[in-house]
Amino acid sequence: MAKGKAIRPMIVVLMARALNIHSNRAGDLLPGQRAIAMISEMIHTASLVHDDVIDGSDKRRGKRTINEVWGERKAILAGDFILSAASMALARIGNNTVVKVLSQVIEDLVRGEFMQLGSKENENERFKHYLEKTFKKTASLIANSCKAVSILVNSDPEVHEIAYQYGKNVGIAFQLVDDVLDFTSGASQLGKPTAADLKLGLATGPVLFACQQFPELHAMIMRRFSSNGDVDRAWQYVLQSDGVQQTNYLAQRYGQEAIRQISMLRPSPERDALIRLTEMVLTRDK
Ligand SMILES: *[C@@H]1O[C@H](CO)[C@@H](O)[C@H](O)[C@H]1NC(C)=O
């Protein structure tokens, strides 16, 4: 498997240290917090293995996927196996609240995947549906992992909420930027070809904003870009619209909210690293 950015464990570890310092302790991670960073990356990895089956992808970051090498049936079992190992590690932490918070992530991932499979929502509900799907598929993992590490060190629900809101907002910003890059970054940079989402039949932020300017997109969205030439035509409409700029602007707003939340913690190098990391998420170009 190809190496990713490991951005999730990085956020969880920085958050744990920032919260420990905020709670008048040394920054050093508690064993349970270190386990949570590992578990969140395992849940993420399992979801990628299953996503590749659902999307029928043969490559991820330039490497062959598990379904390509072993076939779909074994890829599904491999994902399940990673989830079972994550569940055992979660139980070993021995804190029921943490089990509940991280189990919510797995439920959200499944519900988010179901939301992505169906597109019967009408035009008004489409954007709300997209943001909810984005929360469930991407942000819930970061938000709830941040909340889980806060539970282990601090009993104040307001601190749990700061951790959760930071993770939620940075997670949504991250995915919005990802959806922009699907239109703007050249092939190979993201390890997937440009407009991969359109080819999968998915209408993300740039298309949904573009549809407000070019109602012609509506029919294409409804048939999931399945007619001949739909992907190219939709792509042209998006580039002619300011869908990319508007999605970027929305990402900036989520990013600013993430920074506002984390700024409520006591100053520490780790808190400031999370602020810089948020800025990097917003300006990354690959
Ligand atoms: C979880 O851990 C926190 C911090 O040690 C503790 O206050 C809380 O009571 C624990 N909850 C459960 C259900 O074990």
Side-chain angles (χ1 to χ4, degrees), residues 99-111:
V99 170
K100 184 166 164 254
V101 166
L102 288 184
S103 300
Q104 180 70 48
V105 172
I106 302 177
E107 176 185 322
D108 287 343
L109 283 168
V110 176
R111 286 190 185 275

Side-chain angles (χ1 to χ4, degrees), residues 2 12 30-31 45 47 50 53 73 75 90-91 101 105 141 165 176 191 195 200 206 220 227 233 270 272:
V12 177
L30 303 167
T45 303
S47 79
H50 283 167
V53 174
R73 291 185 293 186
L90 182 53
V101 166
V105 172
L141 174 64
Q165 288 297 333
L176 290 172
L200 288 170
M220 284 187 258
S227 292
R233 267 190 301 150
E270 287 81 1
D272 296 343

Side-chain angles (χ1 to χ4, degrees), residues 253-266:
R253 287 202 354 229
Y254 279 100
Q256 279 158 12
E257 177 61 16
I259 290 172
R260 191 181 76 80
Q261 292 285 341
I262 196 71
S263 299
M264 291 193 265
L265 296 186
R266 171 189 297 190

